[in-house]
Amino acid sequence: MRTMTNRMLDDARLLPAAERLRPDADPHEVLARAAWSVLVEPGDGAAGALVAAHGASDALDRALSQDRMLTPGVLESREFAEAQARWRPRARSQAVLDALTSCAEVGGRLLLPGDAEWPSGLDDLGPHAPLLLWVRGDIGALTAQPAVAMVGARAATPYGEAVAGELAGDLAGSGVEVVSGGAYGIDGASHRAALGVGGTTIAFLAGGVDRAYPIGHQQLFDRIRRGGAVVSEVPCGGAPTKWRFLHN
């Protein structure tokens, strides 16, 4: 009997789609991590612990197996069962294919831990670190130093946006990369100020990099990608949610 994992990844179109996005990487690893990205919400510590202990492919087999599997020293039985209940409803091969296809259509790229362009600071998050990143733009911008994160309220006051813009502009003008979340308010002011002085900025999005959210920032994201990047843990096609904004 085939396991749920095999049913999730048995679409013959999946592996070629992974190879097209990352011809320089192991397509099975790329595909497994893309599948994990579809299954979990950002920061899922249970998924991170399982992948760290068993590798992305074997962890996926364990996560979606129909058999009762123990994970001694990794996850308690109850925690594992609760995690499986979260993951299994999302185990659809079409969702993985759609994400990979959409990423290719917009000229995106998948970035995996261990890649030269992987932001090493993310590893400090331990099991809550991203399992991969979906990126559009200059992937080299993700490892640029120095960099500073500037985020704040969406419903910011004009004074707040002015102060954020002044700080971001001064920093970007002196060669510091500005990282923010692409939202209205403080985030948008920070991105625009960095761009205004010819600096580099990165937007970490709460939804897929194939869509502009908020839609009013479509042109802003286009400008960001020319010298920086838009990045997400959420697969292409993923909708931003309130929880994802808070996590981001």
Short mmCIF file of all heavy atoms in Angstrom, two decimals, residues 8 28 31 59 72-73 89 138 141 159 170 177 188 200 221 236:
data_model
loop_
_atom_site.label_atom_id
_atom_site.label_comp_id
_atom_site.label_asym_id
_atom_site.label_seq_id
_atom_site.Cartn_x
_atom_site.Cartn_y
_atom_site.Cartn_z
N MET A 8 1.18 12.05 -2.21
CA MET A 8 1.35 13.50 -2.33
C MET A 8 2.33 13.85 -3.43
O MET A 8 2.17 14.84 -4.14
CB MET A 8 1.81 14.09 -1.00
CG MET A 8 1.96 15.61 -1.02
SD MET A 8 2.62 16.26 0.52
CE MET A 8 2.56 18.03 0.18
N HIS A 28 15.21 15.97 -5.47
CA HIS A 28 14.41 15.31 -4.44
C HIS A 28 14.40 16.16 -3.16
O HIS A 28 13.36 16.26 -2.49
CB HIS A 28 14.95 13.92 -4.15
CG HIS A 28 14.86 12.98 -5.32
ND1 HIS A 28 13.70 12.33 -5.67
CD2 HIS A 28 15.79 12.62 -6.24
CE1 HIS A 28 13.91 11.59 -6.74
NE2 HIS A 28 15.17 11.74 -7.10
N LEU A 31 12.21 19.22 -3.92
CA LEU A 31 10.80 18.86 -3.92
C LEU A 31 10.29 18.60 -2.51
O LEU A 31 9.18 19.03 -2.15
CB LEU A 31 10.59 17.62 -4.79
CG LEU A 31 9.14 17.13 -4.94
CD1 LEU A 31 8.24 18.26 -5.43
CD2 LEU A 31 9.08 15.94 -5.89
N ALA A 59 11.74 12.88 6.78
CA ALA A 59 10.80 13.52 7.70
C ALA A 59 9.42 13.61 7.08
O ALA A 59 8.40 13.45 7.76
CB ALA A 59 11.31 14.91 8.09
N PRO A 72 11.18 9.14 18.91
CA PRO A 72 11.83 9.31 20.22
C PRO A 72 12.95 10.33 20.17
O PRO A 72 13.76 10.34 19.25
CB PRO A 72 12.36 7.90 20.51
CG PRO A 72 12.47 7.24 19.18
CD PRO A 72 11.35 7.79 18.37
N GLY A 73 12.96 11.19 21.18
CA GLY A 73 14.01 12.20 21.26
C GLY A 73 13.79 13.39 20.35
O GLY A 73 14.57 14.33 20.37
N PRO A 89 -4.27 17.51 6.13
CA PRO A 89 -5.27 18.11 5.22
C PRO A 89 -4.67 18.93 4.08
O PRO A 89 -5.34 19.21 3.09
CB PRO A 89 -6.10 19.02 6.16
CG PRO A 89 -5.91 18.41 7.52
CD PRO A 89 -4.51 17.92 7.53
N ASP A 138 17.18 39.80 -6.58
CA ASP A 138 18.60 39.50 -6.43
C ASP A 138 18.82 38.68 -5.17
O ASP A 138 18.78 39.20 -4.06
CB ASP A 138 19.40 40.80 -6.37
CG ASP A 138 20.89 40.57 -6.18
OD1 ASP A 138 21.35 39.41 -6.32
OD2 ASP A 138 21.60 41.56 -5.90
N ALA A 141 21.27 39.71 -2.44
CA ALA A 141 20.92 40.74 -1.46
C ALA A 141 20.61 40.14 -0.09
O ALA A 141 20.70 40.84 0.93
CB ALA A 141 19.71 41.54 -1.95
N TYR A 159 3.72 61.44 11.13
CA TYR A 159 4.99 61.69 11.84
C TYR A 159 5.80 60.40 11.92
O TYR A 159 7.01 60.39 11.68
CB TYR A 159 4.70 62.22 13.24
CG TYR A 159 5.95 62.36 14.08
CD1 TYR A 159 6.87 63.40 13.84
CD2 TYR A 159 6.23 61.46 15.11
CE1 TYR A 159 8.03 63.52 14.60
CE2 TYR A 159 7.38 61.58 15.87
CZ TYR A 159 8.28 62.61 15.62
OH TYR A 159 9.42 62.74 16.37
N ASP A 170 18.72 57.53 5.80
CA ASP A 170 20.09 57.76 6.29
C ASP A 170 20.90 56.47 6.30
O ASP A 170 22.07 56.44 5.92
CB ASP A 170 20.05 58.36 7.70
CG ASP A 170 19.58 59.81 7.71
OD1 ASP A 170 19.57 60.42 6.62
OD2 ASP A 170 19.25 60.31 8.80
N GLU A 177 21.73 47.86 4.27
CA GLU A 177 20.55 47.31 3.62
C GLU A 177 19.36 47.37 4.58
O GLU A 177 19.48 47.04 5.76
CB GLU A 177 20.80 45.86 3.22
CG GLU A 177 19.68 45.22 2.44
CD GLU A 177 20.07 43.84 1.97
OE1 GLU A 177 20.03 42.90 2.80
OE2 GLU A 177 20.43 43.68 0.79
N GLY A 188 6.28 50.31 4.39
CA GLY A 188 6.34 50.95 3.09
C GLY A 188 7.21 52.19 3.09
O GLY A 188 7.98 52.44 2.15
N THR A 200 19.62 49.57 -1.08
CA THR A 200 19.07 48.23 -1.29
C THR A 200 18.10 47.90 -0.17
O THR A 200 18.36 48.19 0.99
CB THR A 200 20.19 47.17 -1.32
OG1 THR A 200 21.13 47.50 -2.34
CG2 THR A 200 19.63 45.78 -1.58
N PHE A 221 6.95 46.85 -4.94
CA PHE A 221 7.63 45.55 -5.01
C PHE A 221 8.43 45.40 -6.30
O PHE A 221 9.52 44.82 -6.31
CB PHE A 221 6.62 44.41 -4.88
CG PHE A 221 5.93 44.35 -3.55
CD1 PHE A 221 4.61 43.95 -3.45
CD2 PHE A 221 6.59 44.71 -2.38
CE1 PHE A 221 3.96 43.90 -2.22
CE2 PHE A 221 5.96 44.66 -1.15
CZ PHE A 221 4.63 44.26 -1.07
N CYS A 236 4.40 30.12 -3.34
CA CYS A 236 3.67 30.90 -4.32
C CYS A 236 2.21 30.46 -4.34
O CYS A 236 1.90 29.27 -4.27
CB CYS A 236 4.29 30.72 -5.71
SG CYS A 236 5.86 31.57 -5.90
#
